[in-house]
Amino acid sequence: MPEHAAEVTAATIARLAGVGRAAVSNWRRRHADFPKPVGGTETSPSFALHEVEQWLHTQGKLAEVSLRERVWQQLSGHPAGAVTALVHVGCALLAAQQHPHRWRELAALDDAALAAPLAELVERVLGERFGGRGERSGGAESGRAGQSHFVHGPGAAGLADSLPLLRGAAELADEDGAQAAFEFLLGRHLDANPRQYTLTPPGPATLMAALAGPAASVLDPACGTGTLLSALRGATALHGQDADPDLAALTGLRLALAGSAAIRTEAADSLRADAFGDLAADAVLCHPPFNERAWGHDELAYDPRWEYGLPARTESELAWVQHALARLREGGTAVLLMPPAAASRRSGRRIRADLLRRGALRAVVALPAGAAPPYGIPLHLWVLRKPDAALRGAPELLLVDTAGIEGVAVDGGRDRLPWDALRSAVLDAWTPFDRDGTVTERPGVSRSVPVIELLDDDVDLAPARHLPPPAAEGGTAALDDVRERLAATLRRTAELTPPPAVPATGEGARRQLATVGELARAGALVLRSGGAGAGTGPGPVVLTEHDVLAGAAPSGTLPEGPAEEPVLTRAGDVVVPVLGGGTVARVVDEASAGAALGRNLQLLRPDPGALDPWFLAGYLRGTANNRQASSHATTASRLDVRRLQLPRLPLAEQRRYGRRFRELAAFEDALRLAGRLGEQLVQGLHDGLTDGTVDPGDGADGGRGRRG
């Protein structure tokens, strides 16, 4: 095997061949020529990618591996680790982007002749792009094996170990561009390691950048992979710092490949080792770590950044707030993503009060749960402005609660948030308030509150505590509309209620069955796997796992930047979630056709001359069918769609079953809608009765109040 060949696991082999992991285990037992493990452990061995590809081709189990998939497998299986490989790829792509003619000359060389001149070119480009390679952030023993971390940018050490990968990445860059190739590989790495990184999704990142406004110089003191710095368009000087040297290097490369003018990334803890002590930025964007106890409370007790008070040991977020203010020019804006507790904890009330008195805190925006990690908590955005010595403190604070925006309360969930509506609502309130202090109050959504009203014993800044309930906005007319819709839906539900079940004969137990895998091999249907993410990028709407489970319209969007070519749905496709072990199957209708297939979804596209889609979907939902096709090898049950079974029936008989399954689906949709409308009506009446906008009546009609 080549010294630096990529390695793949059995799970990866299964994905390449489009089979389950059990099939790979069978191949290893039944075929003596199956590639031998080259690494890993006895229970989780790894195999050489090029040997696996050759064997799959020979066996006719693999037609072709796309260039994107090949490069990704080389990167993910890199012996020095995926992050090191990403840094190497970023360095090489930056060199190819900055000096394309020289790169083409080098690409013609063999690996032995390429190593030295490529490293020389990369060092030259890093010097040009980052203003000098910089000093090492620690001794040789400070990094992982094979890695060098630099405070101004990554170095070129170890590039020779990655030459096959770099050639593949260069081919990918020829097709998509250097920036797009790097974004694709970085995105795949982040998707493959969701627990390793705390990421800021594109939705809140774009909103934070819009709140910060146009800025020439920007700082993110906890930059992660650089999403926030990338979101603020038009900046000419970008500064990023992160305690993780890997992330600092990746951020620098990501921004450089995007063409940002001046970049400086540093690898150190911003609170304990601030690398930008002399910076006066136009804007600071930050998604700081939450609930840190060991943030440096004792050693930083006399730090000059604590202009508004020394944060308590339990108030690390208020330390990040003051750090952001300290790195702004006068009049500069900072936007931080904060946990909701930071707005109300008693231990932080004195600092919050001083931020208000001096006009540093300008707005608090409550986001719905699911906006950013941790996804189960409705996070806040704090918008701060460094006070100008010549101006008095602002007399009011803007409070915005996006949970009151239409579509959020009912359709909440990180794949379903209506980010266009959220951004519009927040910016419609912020822009005039920031310009001249005016706000058009929207009940339940936004209002400006005099600071004097907030300076009580608690200094509680949670928006929901200071906004009138949204029920007041629609009044009783809105409740009457919901009531009428509910009544119509209940009548529809009664009409769709299935007739009494008729016992079947015993012939059903003797039917011949076929698995989905067998039908796929026979050409009766096509299997496709979803992979489109949910973010705020352009492109087709995404049918997400949540949409399928909730019976809702497609609501996700493709992520920013390049991604794998999405699988687009067609009318008559059957979509099945593969996680959770549930019994759900959805037939795509004309309204949902054209949506991209989201993660954790499997699409079955039946041949209409062989399979009725409603017959197929109905049998896939059978509880016993799902139970026998589910795997419980991990903590989450996963459905192996290929093992699902359905009987071999003539097309006319399939359609007879299909009509009944379709009627059941309509009944289920009506029940689901009635449940949502009922909850909305009950909550609206509760709110109206408690806030005085609905009269309770005299009880003559059984306590239901006045009838329309």
Side-chain angles (χ1 to χ4, degrees), residues 300-325:
L300 300 173
Y302 300 101
D303 196 290
R305 289 173 291 180
W306 315 145
E307 187 177 346
Y308 300 86
L310 172 64
R313 193 182 306 276
T314 56
E315 295 285 355
S316 61
E317 296 86 7
L318 293 181
W320 286 98
V321 163
Q322 296 190 76
H323 173 76
L325 285 167

Side-chain angles (χ1 to χ4, degrees), residues 257-284:
L257 286 164
S260 302
I263 303 159
R264 182 182 170 195
T265 57
E266 304 281 354
D269 184 331
S270 289
L271 295 183
R272 286 192 174 91
D274 182 13
F276 299 99
D278 298 327
L279 181 63
D282 297 320
V284 174

Side-chain angles (χ1 to χ4, degrees), residues 630-651:
S630 295
S631 167
H632 298 274
T634 62
T635 55
S637 176
R638 186 175 184 89
L639 186 70
D640 185 351
V641 177
R642 290 175 174 270
R643 292 170 57 190
L644 291 169
Q645 298 176 329
L646 59 156
R648 298 180 183 271
L649 295 178
L651 190 57

Side-chain angles (χ1 to χ4, degrees), residues 350-648:
R350 289 190 177 89
I351 293 178
R352 293 196 299 271
D354 206 26
L355 289 169
L356 290 173
R357 289 191 191 98
R358 298 172 62 180
L361 183 58
R362 304 292 291 120
V364 176
V365 178
L367 300 176
Y375 287 107
I377 300 174
L379 302 180
H380 289 176
L381 292 177
W382 284 24
V383 185
L384 303 112
R385 180 73 45 77
K386 185 159 188 177
D388 189 323
L391 299 176
R392 299 178 59 187
E396 297 192 340
L397 176 73
L398 175 66
L399 296 174
V400 182
D401 188 356
T402 58
I405 296 173
E406 183 178 357
V408 172
V410 174
D411 297 336
R414 70 185 187 190
D415 290 339
R416 302 176 52 77
L417 295 178
W419 277 107
D420 289 342
L422 291 176
R423 272 195 302 275
S424 296
V426 174
L427 295 177
D428 286 349
W430 167 252
T431 302
F433 179 80
D434 184 43
R435 183 180 60 244
D436 52 28
T438 61
V439 172
T440 301
E441 184 174 313
R442 292 183 59 188
V445 177
S446 61
R447 68 177 285 227
S448 61
V449 181
V451 166
I452 192 65
E453 292 184 13
L454 300 168
L455 295 176
D456 54 17
D457 289 342
D458 295 323
V459 196
D460 191 333
L461 307 183
R465 298 184 184 276
H466 304 281
L467 294 173
E473 186 173 17
T476 56
L479 293 177
D480 286 343
D481 178 65
V482 173
R483 182 176 174 277
E484 291 175 5
R485 292 173 59 199
L486 174 60
T489 304
L490 289 174
R491 288 193 295 270
R492 174 67 173 160
T493 304
E495 295 170 359
L496 293 171
T497 301
V502 178
T505 65
E507 297 176 358
R510 297 193 296 273
R511 288 173 179 162
Q512 289 187 338
L513 300 176
T515 66
V516 168
E518 290 170 343
L519 293 171
R521 287 192 291 273
L525 58 82
V526 174
L527 278 173
R528 302 293 299 276
S529 297
T536 59
V541 67
V542 175
L543 181 66
T544 69
E545 181 182 15
H546 188 283
D547 297 332
V548 175
L549 294 173
S555 62
T557 48
L558 293 173
E560 291 277 0
E564 294 183 60
E565 189 69 25
V567 177
L568 300 182
T569 60
R570 301 177 188 170
D573 287 345
V574 177
V575 178
V576 182
V578 296
L579 293 182
T583 54
V584 177
R586 171 170 174 174
V587 178
V588 177
D589 56 16
E590 293 290 347
S592 300
L597 192 66
R599 290 188 182 90
N600 300 324
L601 294 176
Q602 192 90 24
L603 179 144
L604 296 83
R605 180 165 293 158
D607 178 353
L611 282 175
D612 178 79
W614 286 101
F615 165 79
L616 173 62
Y619 269 93
L620 296 186
R621 284 193 58 169
T623 301
N625 203 5
N626 274 260
R627 187 179 295 122
Q628 67 88 27
S630 295
S631 167
H632 298 274
T634 62
T635 55
S637 176
R638 186 175 184 89
L639 186 70
D640 185 351
V641 177
R642 290 175 174 270
R643 292 170 57 190
L644 291 169
Q645 298 176 329
L646 59 156
R648 298 180 183 271

